[in-house]
Amino acid sequence: MTCSVARPLAWTTVSSSSAAATGIEPIADAVPLSLCAREPHVPADRLVAEMVPPPRFDSVRFSTYIPDPNQPSQSEAVRVLESFATGLGGAPAASARRSLFGFGRAKTPKTPAGPRGVYLDGGYGVGKTHLLASLWHATPAEPELKAFGTFVELTNLVGALGFQQTVRTLSGHRLLCIDEFELDDPGDTVLVSTLLGKLVETGVALAATSNTLPGKLGEGRFAAADFLREIQGLSAHFRALRIDGEDYRHRGLPEAPAPFTEEQVAKAAYATEGASLDAFPDLLEHLARVHPSRYGALTDGVKAVCLTDVGPVPDQSTALRLVVLADRLYDREVPVLASGLPFDQLFSEEMLKGGYRKKYFRAISRLTALARDAKGLVKA
């Protein structure tokens, strides 16, 4: 990855003496990073190499998932997924991959009995990504024979490699896990569904979580019927697992911390090595200039995100971009320290009642968890 960083003049002109005069003590004459100054470019080979569970889920396993004792569907999901992972043992679909690359003669892969895919159906915060990553880890295959990514990352891979090359790249895999399968873009849904159909033909097993369609307000949970209908011919390959429960990120935890003052946020940014410092309105404008598939690269090397002047998100397009950034920060366990409005006031009442409301509630949930993680950055 190449990431051009040209810090704003405001940062480059802050000296140690002037910083000290304002009560800010920089580390080794360093100044905070700025996300707004980054325009990452991600090469195709990195896109493929990074199709693994993100850092937050690198060490999760079925044994570390803590089912809610009041929700038996959670324990049942673990049992079913453990069995599914065990069933993925055996020879990979190497012969199919060889033929797609043009080497040797193709052999028809054996198709195991039963569904070759699982779909995790549940609301935000019930641990779907934890379970999806645990499935990836538990599948008895070398890491290069397993792939894990979000729907956005998968569509970006197709854009970078082309459809046929993506099929050839992934067709030798034992398992493909897709987190946050997007159902709100018909074009991308058809593209990925077609891709998955080709992969299933070569023997690749599938696992997915998804978001609901716009306008489907539902019961506060994702709808398996929506997912299975939208992927049409692939529905027979999936077994739907419903996972009930409340958001584990707030189960038994205190309320989200109140925002800090702008001075506290700035001081923490200067006192924390690897922290970034940006005005929230400026960051929202910058996100419009960076493709959402690059938001992970945007945060490379950032140890904490400090934001000033947090306020209501002005429109739905901006809100959806912020959701993606919140997901990438949460995946990478980057704490978020902020001044201004609390995170549960980011989205308007209209947004929280609309077709994308589950995405917004997930973003609030994750940003709140990251705000808790950031409390220790502020010195008493």
Side-chain angles (χ1 to χ4, degrees):
M1 182 206 79
T2 60
C3 181
S4 58
V5 180
R7 290 197 182 107
L9 185 62
W11 296 148
T12 57
T13 57
V14 176
S15 65
S16 299
S17 58
S18 61
T22 61
I24 299 172
E25 299 179 2
I27 291 179
D29 296 324
V31 291
L33 306 168
S34 171
L35 297 182
C36 294
R38 292 183 159 196
E39 295 182 5
H41 301 282
V42 185
D45 57 348
R46 170 173 168 170
L47 295 176
V48 176
E50 290 190 343
M51 292 195 74
V52 297
R56 178 176 289 272
F57 300 99
D58 183 55
S59 61
V60 301
R61 299 294 186 272
F62 289 126
S63 60
T64 64
Y65 181 79
I66 304 175
D68 185 338
N70 297 317
Q71 302 292 346
S73 62
Q74 295 186 7
S75 298
E76 175 66 6
V78 172
R79 185 191 67 78
V80 172
L81 290 171
E82 285 179 326
S83 177
F84 184 76
T86 301
L88 296 180
S95 59
R97 177 168 58 176
R98 285 177 55 207
S99 66
L100 285 166
F101 274 111
F103 302 110
R105 168 176 264 177
K107 295 181 180 180
T108 302
K110 291 183 177 180
T111 302
R116 287 290 288 169
V118 289
Y119 166 68
L120 308 185
D121 173 32
Y124 57 91
V126 297
K128 297 189 305 299
T129 302
H130 183 135
L131 291 172
L132 193 67
S134 297
L135 173 63
W136 188 94
H137 289 297
T139 296
E142 295 299 318
E144 59 268 22
L145 295 179
K146 301 180 287 187
F148 184 107
T150 64
F151 182 88
V152 170
E153 290 167 338
L154 187 59
T155 56
N156 190 54
L157 182 65
V158 176
L161 299 182
F163 184 84
Q164 294 300 333
Q165 183 59 45
T166 303
V167 172
R168 288 191 287 268
T169 299
L170 298 178
S171 62
H173 283 58
R174 197 81 56 84
L175 173 69
L176 171 61
C177 296
I178 308 171
D179 200 18
E180 301 161 17
F181 198 111
E182 300 285 355
L183 296 175
D184 41 42
D185 186 317
D188 283 346
T189 300
V190 171
L191 172 69
V192 174
S193 294
T194 304
L195 171 65
L196 297 185
K198 296 291 186 182
L199 296 178
V200 166
E201 291 175 0
T202 69
V204 180
L206 307 173
T209 69
S210 81
N211 297 313
T212 52
L213 289 164
K216 298 292 184 182
L217 303 185
E219 312 167 12
R221 67 177 186 86
F222 300 118
D226 290 337
F227 175 78
L228 297 176
R229 181 180 62 252
E230 291 304 309
I231 61 174
Q232 298 176 4
L234 282 174
S235 60
H237 295 286
F238 281 89
R239 171 179 178 176
L241 294 178
R242 178 167 177 169
I243 307 171
D244 297 303
E246 61 181 286
D247 186 350
Y248 79 92
R249 284 179 284 270
H250 307 302
R251 197 187 299 164
L253 292 176
E255 290 295 318
F260 292 93
T261 66
E262 186 169 335
E263 181 182 9
Q264 287 174 311
V265 171
K267 283 185 177 181
Y270 277 89
T272 304
E273 189 171 8
S276 66
L277 177 61
D278 293 280
F280 187 68
D282 294 342
L283 179 60
L284 294 184
E285 288 185 11
H286 184 62
L287 292 180
R289 296 188 288 270
V290 179
H291 191 277
S293 64
R294 299 176 181 177
Y295 288 1
L298 186 69
T299 64
D300 277 354
V302 177
K303 304 302 181 184
V305 167
C306 299
L307 300 172
T308 60
D309 196 23
V310 170
V313 179
D315 56 74
Q316 187 159 266
S317 295
T318 302
L320 291 173
R321 288 191 287 266
L322 180 60
V323 168
V324 178
L325 179 64
D327 287 340
R328 300 294 80 79
L329 292 173
Y330 183 77
D331 287 345
R332 289 159 175 75
E333 300 181 294
V334 180
V336 178
L337 190 71
S339 69
L341 287 181
F343 288 131
D344 60 3
Q345 297 180 33
L346 285 174
F347 307 108
S348 68
E349 184 176 352
E350 182 180 1
M351 290 179 183
L352 295 179
K353 290 182 177 179
Y356 297 102
R357 67 172 190 155
K358 293 176 184 176
K359 292 185 180 184
Y360 301 145
F361 280 119
R362 184 180 77 235
I364 292 170
S365 170
R366 290 183 166 186
L367 288 172
T368 296
L370 296 176
R372 290 196 188 101
D373 295 342
K375 289 180 66 175
L377 300 178
V378 176
K379 307 303 180 185

